[in-house]
Amino acid sequence: MIVISACLVGERVRYDGNHKLDLFYKRLIDDDQAITVCPEILGGLQVPREPAEIVDGDGYDVWNDTAEVITTSGQNVTEQFKQGAKRTLSVMKDLNAQTVVLKSDSPSCGSSAIYDGTFSGNKKEGVGVTTALLKMNHIDVYDEHTFKAISDNLEV
Ligand code: SF4
């Protein structure tokens, strides 16, 4: 069993009420090989919600208390992002799941790049808050591109 970002299978959980449907991942759900999570919803945030970015670092820095997650209007949602990450880890542990596919670039789910905290559309190297916690707990984290590239060799 693998776990997949809910927005990748068509669930309208993104901040703007949209999704990022990818039929490859929808098929895994339809075949009962995967379940979905949305860390930001698990953290208690609503749809729609203000966009948020990690300011002064990435997900690891959030767990080190040297960076925060801030919305466009300046609301601090760091605790909600951390709560969502902890609940995602809990789901993984309950399922005994080792593999997760998380949407790229998100302040929760990004695994190689995230938006740079200036709301300018620019990205920086780094991981999201959920990705950092999962990696610190030795979960195998892929994004929607990297998982496809290696999925033929994986048992899911
Ligand atoms: Fe939820 Fe992650 Fe998709 Fe954002 S990227 S909507 S947190 S699953």
Side-chain angles (χ1 to χ4, degrees), residues 113-144:
I114 55 172
Y115 289 100
D116 71 358
T118 63
F119 296 99
S120 60
N122 294 325
K123 294 174 194 170
K124 63 186 176 187
E125 205 173 301
V127 305
V129 177
T130 293
T131 300
L133 184 66
L134 296 180
K135 282 179 169 274
M136 287 188 286
N137 282 273
H138 312 294
I139 302 288
D140 299 325
V141 181
Y142 299 90
D143 69 23
E144 67 272 31

Side-chain angles (χ1 to χ4, degrees), residues 59-104:
Y60 291 116
D61 300 309
V62 169
W63 292 106
N64 289 331
D65 294 326
T66 58
E68 293 180 321
V69 189
I70 306 292
T71 71
T72 44
S73 71
Q75 190 190 350
N76 188 327
V77 287
T78 306
E79 282 313 309
Q80 289 94 325
F81 272 63
K82 288 172 110 173
Q83 188 64 244
K86 288 178 191 170
R87 289 192 171 140
T88 300
L89 178 61
S90 180
V91 167
M92 301 283 307
K93 287 187 169 172
D94 287 349
L95 287 169
N96 204 18
Q98 180 60 32
T99 302
V100 64
V101 183
L102 294 178
K103 171 76 183 68
S104 56

Side-chain angles (χ1 to χ4, degrees), residues 7-80:
C7 56
L8 288 174
V9 306
E11 295 181 30
R12 295 183 177 277
V13 290
R14 281 168 55 88
Y15 71 93
D16 57 3
N18 275 320
H19 58 71
K20 285 285 182 180
L21 176 62
D22 182 321
L23 291 175
F24 176 91
Y25 293 108
K26 179 74 165 57
R27 266 194 296 276
L28 291 180
I29 296 294
D30 292 344
D31 291 346
D32 292 327
Q33 294 185 68
I35 67 144
T36 63
V37 292
C38 174
E40 291 173 28
I41 299 299
L42 287 176
L45 296 170
Q46 307 293 315
V47 179
R49 56 189 175 277
E50 281 192 296
E53 296 189 4
I54 300 174
V55 176
D56 290 335
D58 76 347
Y60 291 116
D61 300 309
V62 169
W63 292 106
N64 289 331
D65 294 326
T66 58
E68 293 180 321
V69 189
I70 306 292
T71 71
T72 44
S73 71
Q75 190 190 350
N76 188 327
V77 287
T78 306
E79 282 313 309
Q80 289 94 325

